[in-house]
Amino acid sequence: MESLCCTGVWWLPNHPRNAIHGQLEFHPFQGAQLKTFGSFGALAGQTATQQDIVLGMSGNGRLITLVHVSGVPTPTTPQETSQQIQPWATAMWSLRAQLIVMGKHLIHVEQLQFDRVRVFYSHLDRWANMDGFRIVQKHNQNKECQSCTVSYKLPKPICCKLNDYHVSFGFCLQTSSSLNHVHLQQNMFVQLQHDQAAAWQQIQDKLLQLQNLLSFGANMPIQPQSIQAFMPHCDQTVQLLYRLRGFPTVNQVQIDAAPLFTLKDIAKQLDVHLKQWFAKATVLQPVHMLYFSLVFGPTLYAQNKFLHLVQALETYHSRTHKGQASLRKRLSEVLHHLKDVFVLKSGQEESFITQVVRTRNYLTHYSKNHEKKRPDWQQLHQLTQQLRDMVRAVLLLEAGFSKLAVKNMLTRT
């Protein structure tokens, strides 16, 4: 998502004549902040510091709706702070909004319903491994290019239906040119289209699950860059902006990792994998949370990565098996479940389980009794990589991939 900074006038839906001036700033990783001269509580005849909806108009006339707004007065000088000058309307207010709707005014939170949402994600084209470009060059005897023909055909969207909504992966083309330059860029998006308008919170939950699947396949964080929403019985598009919590910044994302699978790999069975992923999202939610904390948190310490993966496997076992069990038993049963997918060398299974249990106990309690048996950094890294492959394997199997396909995916990554 792009940053935003605009000045304008702002008011409460029930008090359109009592507008105040202020500046709205938005940063994807910091959220939305509105600084105003005066409080909305005072304009409404109360001292409330929280509003469901705040309406605004930017200097260029664009309509803006801020959703779930809260804030406090921030006196601008030390003298004002010490003297506690009142009324607060003479002081600056710093307000935070959970969501920005650009392009339309909404009066109630209940109006946050959309029948179609289109999301442009980072690195999505790289993950999809599909494009519509064809380039033909002709060379002379000296192997110099004499002519070049570039053609583009928009790839067909890949769609499937899940319950009362459709998921589609579509493509669009951006073009620009000058006297000595032509730029063609294929952009890919993901679209959710509901049979009937759905609440934004419901849509956001689905987008989170879909984003996890995309990040899982790409083997790297996939982040929303732009969100376009379409309201029922309205041709106008609105843009949605909200804080990206838990995401790494752009310079923290590593793009050299090979994907587990691409859109091209799953296109023929897209409905199978999406249905499985969404159907099991509730049961496996803690496992997803633990695993994707590593995907979206690349700066975690090695010890934390190890503990997250051990806990993910324990949680997976407890959610898919009945009864209590020790870590040793849980690991043994998960390894048996993965016997055709994740294969240790002959005779290493017991040694592997023992190392994981001892390391987990040491990193949990830091007991001196286990200090001599703790692994060195190289051993810890190897154990972590093996645990990561186990978690990936169970998630891939739960998403409907065959054992042969999972084994091949783990081999190439």
Side-chain angles (χ1 to χ4, degrees):
M1 295 185 184
E2 296 183 357
S3 299
L4 170 71
C5 182
C6 66
T7 56
V9 291
W10 310 89
W11 64 92
L12 300 180
N14 294 332
H15 300 269
R17 296 184 179 181
N18 296 328
I20 54 178
H21 291 273
Q23 178 173 286
L24 175 65
E25 295 181 358
F26 172 79
H27 187 277
F29 301 103
Q30 298 173 4
Q33 182 180 28
L34 175 65
K35 295 181 179 179
T36 65
F37 294 94
S39 75
F40 295 109
L43 294 175
Q46 56 186 4
T47 58
T49 59
Q50 190 168 351
Q51 301 291 338
D52 286 336
I53 294 289
V54 170
L55 303 179
M57 180 178 291
S58 65
N60 59 6
R62 192 169 189 187
L63 305 181
I64 303 174
T65 300
L66 304 181
V67 183
H68 296 314
V69 181
S70 60
V72 294
T74 55
T76 56
T77 65
Q79 290 78 11
E80 288 178 336
T81 303
S82 60
Q83 297 174 5
Q84 296 183 350
I85 294 178
Q86 293 184 355
W88 287 116
T90 61
M92 287 288 295
W93 273 64
S94 178
L95 306 164
R96 291 282 181 179
Q98 294 184 13
L99 176 69
I100 301 177
V101 181
M102 301 290 295
K104 190 174 181 62
H105 278 165
L106 305 176
I107 306 302
H108 305 289
V109 176
E110 291 74 17
Q111 291 180 287
L112 277 172
Q113 296 194 11
F114 309 99
D115 49 20
R116 185 157 51 105
V117 173
R118 179 176 293 182
V119 186
F120 292 84
Y121 288 100
S122 62
H123 312 298
L124 199 57
D125 282 282
R126 176 180 177 272
W127 169 74
N129 193 26
M130 301 175 66
D131 70 83
F133 291 103
R134 298 294 180 267
I135 302 176
V136 179
Q137 293 182 345
K138 292 185 179 180
H139 301 81
N140 59 19
Q141 295 179 347
N142 297 324
K143 297 183 178 181
E144 297 172 336
C145 182
Q146 294 293 102
S147 66
C148 179
T149 302
V150 180
S151 62
Y152 178 81
K153 183 178 181 181
L154 201 68
K156 293 182 179 180
I158 300 173
C159 310
C160 68
K161 183 173 176 59
L162 303 174
N163 299 324
D164 61 341
Y165 62 98
H166 291 78
V167 178
S168 60
F169 295 84
F171 304 84
C172 59
L173 184 69
Q174 286 185 333
T175 64
S176 64
S177 62
S178 61
L179 290 176
N180 60 353
H181 173 82
V182 175
H183 180 77
L184 304 175
Q185 179 175 324
Q186 174 183 283
N187 292 322
M188 183 180 173
F189 58 85
V190 179
Q191 182 169 279
L192 297 185
Q193 184 164 355
H194 289 75
D195 297 339
Q196 295 183 349
W200 166 240
Q201 185 60 57
Q202 180 184 356
I203 296 173
Q204 195 173 17
D205 292 340
K206 294 175 183 176
L207 290 177
L208 175 60
Q209 296 301 331
L210 189 58
Q211 174 188 289
N212 285 343
L213 178 62
L214 298 177
S215 300
F216 186 44
N219 201 16
M220 63 182 295
I222 299 293
Q223 306 175 2
Q225 292 186 312
S226 175
I227 302 179
Q228 300 172 357
F230 302 81
M231 305 189 74
H233 312 296
C234 180
D235 296 332
Q236 185 180 4
T237 306
V238 299
Q239 183 181 5
L240 305 179
L241 301 172
Y242 58 89
R243 182 181 178 184
L244 301 180
R245 296 180 181 273
F247 286 91
T249 57
V250 176
N251 59 2
Q252 291 178 316
V253 176
Q254 298 178 356
I255 60 174
D256 56 345
L260 278 173
F261 57 85
T262 66
L263 177 61
K264 198 171 184 179
D265 295 331
I266 66 173
K268 293 182 179 180
Q269 289 190 307
L270 180 64
D271 58 336
V272 173
H273 299 307
L274 285 181
K275 285 179 181 178
Q276 290 284 88
W277 186 266
F278 278 93
K280 298 182 179 180
T282 301
V283 174
L284 298 179
Q285 190 269 341
V287 184
H288 289 175
M289 181 183 65
L290 289 163
Y291 176 77
F292 289 109
S293 67
L294 305 184
V295 176
F296 294 109
T299 57
L300 285 175
Y301 290 114
Q303 298 93 325
N304 296 112
K305 292 181 180 180
F306 174 89
L307 290 173
H308 275 57
L309 291 168
V310 172
Q311 189 178 1
L313 288 171
E314 283 192 287
T315 304
Y316 170 76
H317 184 275
S318 68
R319 292 241 163 178
T320 56
H321 294 72
K322 294 182 180 180
Q324 299 294 320
S326 64
L327 173 59
R328 181 177 294 276
K329 183 179 180 181
R330 294 189 193 280
L331 290 173
S332 178
E333 292 186 359
V334 173
L335 283 172
H336 179 74
H337 177 57
L338 300 176
K339 62 181 180 180
D340 298 323
V341 175
F342 177 81
V343 181
L344 294 168
K345 292 182 180 179
S346 178
Q348 286 192 351
E349 182 174 313
E350 285 301 320
S351 174
F352 168 75
I353 293 175
T354 299
Q355 283 184 299
V356 172
V357 172
R358 285 177 176 175
T359 305
R360 193 285 301 266
N361 291 341
Y362 174 74
L363 293 178
T364 303
H365 306 290
Y366 286 95
S367 171
K368 290 186 177 181
N369 297 331
H370 296 91
E371 195 166 20
K372 293 181 180 180
K373 297 179 181 179
R374 66 179 180 180
D376 58 29
W377 289 111
Q378 184 176 354
Q379 292 171 328
L380 180 62
H381 175 73
Q382 183 179 0
L383 287 175
T384 302
Q385 293 296 100
Q386 291 172 314
L387 291 170
R388 183 204 63 180
D389 286 345
M390 288 179 64
V391 175
R392 286 177 173 176
V394 295
L395 291 179
L396 287 167
L397 291 174
E398 294 291 338
F401 290 93
S402 68
K403 290 186 176 182
L404 179 60
V406 174
K407 188 174 182 179
N408 291 336
M409 291 177 198
L410 297 180
T411 301
R412 68 176 181 233
T413 57

